[in-house]
Amino acid sequence: DGGITQSPKYLFRKEGQNVTLSCEQNLNHDAMYWYRQDPGQGLRLIYYSQIVNDFQKGDIAEGYSVSREKKESFPLTVTSAQKNPTAFYLCASRIQGNTEAFFGQGTRLTVV
Amino acid sequence: AQSVAQPEDQVNVAEGNPLTVKCTYSVSGNPYLFWYVQYPNRGLQFLLKYITGDNLVKGSYGFEAEFNKSQTSFHLKKPSALVSDSALYFCAVRDTRWGSGGSNYKLTFGKGTLLTVNP
């Protein structure tokens, strides 16, 4: 099946640890995005990548890092510098020339 | 900067009644507008978009949206609501902050409206 796969679905992190969220797509999409969702705040953009080996900060990039070594993969690392990481994280992708983005099923990260 | 506003945090309708979820926007240039739906603990599903052309846009699951340039609105509608339509709905606008040529952009989302359809 084609689509965007995020893993794991649930993730627990201890204070001070880095964790990496996976996002893989087999849609041959060029652009990939990471959003953070908090109750009542909608979606906020963390990082964006249009092509391999290139990415840009979004509105709330502090405490996060990404890489784009392959077209299919755009992992997000939540570092210990992110002070309030508990949230629902959504990955999306889009093909050049189309306007709508398609989303994965999300990863819920909880700091314990 | 581009922005969208969803003035209602919650909308309640009875099954079988028409529903409207409101969205207003602020953009420079031509607006590219979208509606997405989210079910609990799931990702967002694309419903419909307005790029250009007819002001009434038809989308998935019987939803449609009316683009009104003078009122800068893009309200989501459905003639007859189903209990299964109960979900969180997001309006979004294309933001070309980073790029030229329209190929390098992000979506800016509203805060969402929780739709509850009562049996």
Side-chain angles (χ1 to χ4, degrees):
Chain A
D1 288 336
I4 305 172
T5 302
Q6 291 187 241
S7 61
K9 187 170 183 178
Y10 298 96
L11 186 57
F12 296 90
R13 190 195 92 171
K14 293 183 179 179
E15 298 248 7
Q17 283 184 337
N18 293 354
V19 289
T20 298
L21 283 60
S22 171
C23 179
E24 302 277 335
Q25 54 96 1
N26 59 5
L27 301 168
N28 199 33
H29 285 182
D30 304 291
M32 297 187 75
Y33 307 78
W34 274 105
Y35 285 89
R36 170 181 171 142
Q37 185 178 14
D38 296 282
Q41 295 195 47
L43 277 70
R44 295 180 289 169
L45 185 68
I46 305 172
Y47 267 99
Y48 157 85
S49 170
Q50 189 181 13
I51 58 173
V52 174
N53 293 323
D54 182 65
F55 48 83
Q56 295 174 322
K57 294 181 179 180
D59 300 314
I60 56 165
E62 184 175 354
Y64 300 97
S65 66
V66 294
S67 63
R68 188 85 187 275
E69 296 177 0
K70 300 186 300 182
K71 187 176 185 179
E72 302 79 18
S73 179
F74 191 41
L76 173 74
T77 296
V78 184
T79 74
S80 57
Q82 170 49 238
K83 297 307 179 187
N84 185 23
T86 295
F88 191 52
Y89 291 86
L90 289 160
C91 178
S93 68
R94 179 182 67 88
I95 195 167
Q96 294 288 16
N98 275 0
T99 52
E100 66 268 27
F102 294 91
F103 284 78
Q105 295 303 299
T107 293
R108 185 166 298 280
L109 173 63
T110 304
V111 174
V112 297
Chain B
Q2 327 286 53
S3 65
V4 291
Q6 294 180 243
E8 301 160 316
D9 292 335
Q10 295 188 46
V11 170
N12 296 299
V13 298
E15 187 174 31
N17 283 2
L19 71 86
T20 299
V21 183
K22 296 180 181 178
C23 173
T24 59
Y25 65 88
S26 174
V27 302
S28 55
N30 294 323
Y32 283 34
L33 298 160
F34 307 82
W35 276 103
Y36 285 82
V37 61
Q38 184 182 34
Y39 297 97
N41 293 311
R42 304 297 296 274
L44 275 65
Q45 296 179 31
F46 170 72
L47 282 178
L48 50 81
K49 65 182 177 183
Y50 173 82
I51 305 301
T52 187
D54 290 341
N55 290 342
L56 186 64
V57 179
K58 294 190 181 296
S60 306
Y61 313 118
F63 284 94
E64 57 191 25
E66 186 173 8
F67 172 71
N68 188 316
K69 188 173 183 178
S70 63
Q71 297 185 5
T72 62
S73 66
F74 188 55
H75 300 333
L76 181 70
K77 300 183 178 185
K78 188 173 183 181
S80 179
L82 300 172
V83 173
S84 57
D85 293 330
S86 299
L88 188 59
Y89 290 81
F90 289 97
C91 183
V93 64
R94 190 182 80 166
D95 184 341
T96 56
R97 183 185 313 179
W98 286 300
S100 60
S103 65
N104 192 9
Y105 72 90
K106 70 162 186 171
L107 291 178
T108 296
F109 287 84
K111 294 187 176 183
T113 298
L114 182 63
L115 172 67
T116 301
V117 181
N118 301 302

